[in-house]
Amino acid sequence: MKKAAVVGAAGYAGVEAVRILLGHPDFELTCITSSSDAGTPIAELYPALDGICELVFEEHDAQAVAAKADVAFLAVPHTASLAMTPALVEAGVQVVDLSADYRLADASVYEHWYGAKHTSLDLLAQAIYGLPELARDELKAGTPVVACPGCYPTASALATVPAIEAGIAADAPICIAALSGVSGAGRKASAKTHFCNADESVGLYGLPHRHTPEIAQTLSRAANREVEVIFTPHLVPMVRGLLATVYIPLAHEMSTEEVHAIYEKRYAGEPFVNLRPVGQMPQTAWVEGTNRAQVGVEVAPGNKMLIASCGIDNLVKGAAGQAVQAANLVCGFEETAGLDARMPVV
Amino acid sequence: MKKAAVVGAAGYAGVEAVRILLGHPDFELTCITSSSDAGTPIAELYPALDGICELVFEEHDAQAVAAKADVAFLAVPHTASLAMTPALVEAGVQVVDLSADYRLADASVYEHWYGAKHTSLDLLAQAIYGLPELARDELKAGTPVVACPGCYPTASALATVPAIEAGIAADAPICIAALSGVSGAGRKASAKTHFCNADESVGLYGLPHRHTPEIAQTLSRAANREVEVIFTPHLVPMVRGLLATVYIPLAHEMSTEEVHAIYEKRYAGEPFVNLRPVGQMPQTAWVEGTNRAQVGVEVAPGNKMLIASCGIDNLVKGAAGQAVQAANLVCGFEETAGLDARMPVV
Amino acid sequence: MKKAAVVGAAGYAGVEAVRILLGHPDFELTCITSSSDAGTPIAELYPALDGICELVFEEHDAQAVAAKADVAFLAVPHTASLAMTPALVEAGVQVVDLSADYRLADASVYEHWYGAKHTSLDLLAQAIYGLPELARDELKAGTPVVACPGCYPTASALATVPAIEAGIAADAPICIAALSGVSGAGRKASAKTHFCNADESVGLYGLPHRHTPEIAQTLSRAANREVEVIFTPHLVPMVRGLLATVYIPLAHEMSTEEVHAIYEKRYAGEPFVNLRPVGQMPQTAWVEGTNRAQVGVEVAPGNKMLIASCGIDNLVKGAAGQAVQAANLVCGFEETAGLDARMPVV
Amino acid sequence: MKKAAVVGAAGYAGVEAVRILLGHPDFELTCITSSSDAGTPIAELYPALDGICELVFEEHDAQAVAAKADVAFLAVPHTASLAMTPALVEAGVQVVDLSADYRLADASVYEHWYGAKHTSLDLLAQAIYGLPELARDELKAGTPVVACPGCYPTASALATVPAIEAGIAADAPICIAALSGVSGAGRKASAKTHFCNADESVGLYGLPHRHTPEIAQTLSRAANREVEVIFTPHLVPMVRGLLATVYIPLAHEMSTEEVHAIYEKRYAGEPFVNLRPVGQMPQTAWVEGTNRAQVGVEVAPGNKMLIASCGIDNLVKGAAGQAVQAANLVCGFEETAGLDARMPVV
């Protein structure tokens, strides 16, 4: 049993981490922080937790967190993690960072896309990119910082990596059409998240999107060559759920069945990846509330283009659930601990 | 540990029972039946269960169910339960019936509202109306049939009963405006459940509604007098969730605080009833996926009319969750067993 | 042909007035104002109008408005109209006010519910409450200010008035359960209007609601006695649409058919009121985008309680459309002018 | 003034044609047919039309239609048009066909994708593919059959054609990620269109999709070479709206501004195509209810891939509106006649 803190617990990824940790057999949630809501009981902000979680948001303080917790889940905006992580690590806290700050190995790429100086190069060099399906062996005790993948990169990678690892993808740009529910835009009220703008409408946004270099980094590592990525996210009218549909030019003509067999082998035994049968593509509702990713593959007529689609819950496998999955590995717990609650299927 | 069957497991209430029982520490789910989908794996109909539940729908047969299960949850349409329950009871199976067939003590009322002959009067006389907050002491071993309340009657009763039991309600008709998500209409595809009809629209339906006599029966029992009920359900564009807003004429002028104190006392210690503070009313999203009911009260200006509102998840506290809660009591398990999974709060 | 201005055109009711006036045969829209967005083309805020409306929001100024327009539609928050209307009237502009400022004949009631001093008592005495179905004869040239009804009062009145005028309602409190889409909460981004809070949830809000005295005033005038109103609005997950379901105790037992005949007679010839046949209740989608109200009636079993339900589009018949309807009357145009565009029915 | 019939008027595209024709200055709607609902007043099926359209669905009969109408809009499933069109043409009726039956010039391609024999080769050879932005000059009197484009092909073509015509697209496959609202699936109740399946979920469906060869045909004609198309539609939880996001490899590096200038020139003067400014992409809500298409372009980092996105209302520009636009041209009316009603923008 370890003690856990959630830093930035008032946001959507943060409260999802709270929710998961409350039901986790090996973590005890002892501390939640929020700069905007310090002093407020979490059950006041999220009445669903009334009678379930008595914690009150605190101001963040590294020493206070270290006094209460072994592991800190940071669900804060980018740059905020840069400001907090070094002190937490120094105080002996295991950091599991949901922000973008330690994801990009090349600090200059971070600085280009996020418009901020990277001030923690030492820890950046030690951070592990925490996509367990790709980095299970690296996620172990001694990793000071786990850099949890973004929501879009998670789904994009899980849809694409088996093809790339197997060498069936041509050396050509990979296009990704992604669709995200509105919770991906965060708790902040804005014109974009206003019900009357978000409901009954779809459209692209945020081009070029900051998750592009992160996806390219993951696919390039898997390919052992530079992979070019065209990434385009759409906002769709639902609360949760994220789908990445990836167009992968094939190096050689292949049938759907041949590609499916490669994916089946790659994901055999993966506790959180569910491959759909030939002829069926994932629906995001089928993974809602869970840490699962569903993947489907189909080769287009002509047998030269693979269409791979991956559905996840953006706040679970795309954020807090995956962070707990990685933390389980780093802490030596069962990888699935706390992540197997049965979710409604309708 | 007891073995459980879900009869009629392909419908929404049935699959919700499956979902809950899969995570229940004291029940082992051994058998699911469906007349329409016999032979089909449940994970084919509900891909969210792929890799989680390997069961295949069977044709219903009382002997087969009895051979596999100690308790049968019947999530079947009215009259179907009348046809199944006697044989199950005779075969020694504990029946927990989610249909309307054993809810109305007066068979003639059943026959009037449901347009069918009641053919199981003997068991009707022994059935217990399974709203645990009202009938906890009666729900014990030896009850052959638990008649689980309907979704609307559950929310209506929980909003109203404390006022009635405390004698603060006037002897006057009680009006109930209820709002239900579309899952309440069941899995059958119809014009009513077509997305293009149900989305972005609200309206009354099904007047006069069959749940009227059931609500009147519950309130009358609590009042020890005949309570007249005007019940009007609206369909609203959401999947889950049910709200009952009840207009209760007060016998004497009272303040919101006075009424709130009565409700607070009545529901103290209730594991699944959450009273909102003065000034706040329930939102159905705050109980989504859970077995909880949230209740709020407000006395209108003039201090003569109490507005009480109760929000539940129609498929959990309004159906499968409440059935499991009642079954826990009848089987001698913890009342909350299997019903405490942490649900997403965003 | 008259020239029209929309004051407060950046909000939802304002832009709806713009939309209607752009298609109006007898009004030319010459001026739009917005305190928050002055200097911005309306098509930038509402890209649907790109290429359709070239107007730019101006700062409000009574003289400037008077120089450009014969009629001003005020779609501003309460108290803002009090500050603007006298100068506009003095400058010779016909004011059609969509705010609450001139609706309540008794200034002390306004001051109690709106928490603000009424500073325009002279015009208040001359203002006409502009519900054309009740006040068609009063809406004529010479009225300096038309006080357009609120959205909830419009639907509540249209559902209730025929019963009250016919004397079939008992002298007892009338309860109203109303359901509104999120556009009723306005364009301002807030926690309440955030998609992730408003979607997939319903609940009561804003008790006691400010529209209560306005509804009571309308019903009391129709009854020639004090009518007590219990008014409870729910927020529901849709953009547009408003439903008022009204519980009207009957003075004497009546059948649905008898009540229906009364409503049929009352609304015969009304261009914007559509009575549903016996056995069918309105759906808000059936009036979306239009200035129509649909009304349905049903007497509950026992024949002592009338359930009347009225569906409108909150931004059209509940706001801008009704304002144009009233303006048409005051200006001597066809009552339906500009309000008969055919709207999508799916 | 010409007389118009809508054949298959009970479906969503059909009733949308009815809606538009009711407000059309140059067409008089005289006849509506429906095989499933013959004998039923349209206002019974669509209560929004109560008091607005008194027509009753008739059984289809070519002679009867010819006796009542000059122009017939066929909103029927594929193969049904093959069975109806020859007799209508022979009877002198101008056919505007919304089905797929006359869209594909190569009958063998039709037979491959639609699994049905093409039985009207003579008319197929004379049919004009009615995308007015591409075929305005061909849409004139004397065309016996106008083959109206599918919803996906319309948006895909409008997003892509300017790049192809300008010769800036490389000779490489073009991938299209499309998103459609549920009305695209038609009025038939099914598991797919059930609110509880369609709401709060997204996913690919129908791969490979029948609109693929139609899109390829249009793009190939514009390019004067064979263009390979990878087309992938997603179902998204909204009633109306369709977005096509197209990934177009560029022959040479170009900036967003250079591409935007090409699109601007191509669409100058087009009454129904609205190009968004650089930096903004279309939202489907911005064209809801209208016959407009909004197009946006953005070149991805690297300047080698053009992302073009087009939003339409699938039932208007994607079906009935475009059919009326084409009919206007064929009949010699103003191209925009009946298509300029002002639609709600919130």
Side-chain angles (χ1 to χ4, degrees), chain B residues 121-138:
Chain B
L121 297 175
D122 194 45
L123 287 173
L124 177 59
Q126 302 173 62
I128 298 296
Y129 187 74
L131 191 55
E133 289 75 12
L134 299 188
R136 188 166 284 118
D137 293 345
E138 300 170 73

Side-chain angles (χ1 to χ4, degrees), chain D residues 3-7 65 69-74 88 93-97:
Chain D
K3 290 178 183 161
V6 177
V7 176
V65 169
D70 307 304
V71 179
F73 294 87
L74 270 60
L88 287 167
V93 178
Q94 168 71 56
V95 170
V96 181
D97 180 22

